[in-house]
């Protein structure tokens, strides 16, 4: 793995120093987990924003609503 050097607030350092107390195997595990969670959160946020945009477009597009309704009526139940 690649190593990186960065600066953190003292409170973050104190948390990372207690990594075993929170079930992490080492300091790097804390950082990797935090980054993984941030990536997941940002991806989810982008998906929600995208869905909201599609919903807005759908509300204003009568033609799309018509072909969607037609397709749904033919969908097996």
């Amino acid at each position: 793995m690649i190593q990186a050097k960065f600066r953190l607030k003292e409170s973050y350092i104190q948390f990372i120093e207690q990594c075993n107390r929170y079930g992490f195997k080492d300091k790097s595990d804390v950082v990797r987990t935090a980054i993984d969670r941030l990536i997941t959160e940002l991806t989810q946020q982008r998906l929600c924003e995208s869905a909201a945009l599609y919903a807005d477009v759908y509300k204003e597009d009568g033609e799309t609503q018509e072909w969607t309704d037609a397709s749904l009526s033919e969908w097996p139940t």
Side-chain angles (χ1 to χ4, degrees), residues 25-36:
K25 63 181 179 180
D26 58 29
K27 296 173 189 175
S28 294
D29 191 31
V30 174
V31 175
R32 285 191 298 269
T33 299
I35 292 171
D36 287 343

Side-chain angles (χ1 to χ4, degrees), residues 18-77:
Q18 299 175 21
C19 62
N20 294 344
R21 183 178 182 188
Y22 298 103
F24 297 99
K25 63 181 179 180
D26 58 29
K27 296 173 189 175
S28 294
D29 191 31
V30 174
V31 175
R32 285 191 298 269
T33 299
I35 292 171
D36 287 343
R37 287 184 179 183
L38 179 59
I39 290 168
T40 299
E41 181 181 320
L42 292 174
T43 301
Q44 182 66 35
Q45 181 181 349
R46 282 192 300 248
L47 286 172
C48 288
E49 290 169 357
S50 176
L53 287 173
Y54 277 108
D56 287 343
V57 169
Y58 180 79
K59 279 184 202 175
E60 297 176 14
D61 188 347
E63 185 179 352
T64 301
Q65 291 175 17
E66 286 176 20
W67 59 257
T68 302
D69 291 342
S71 296
L72 288 174
S73 68
E74 297 171 8
W75 194 264
T77 56

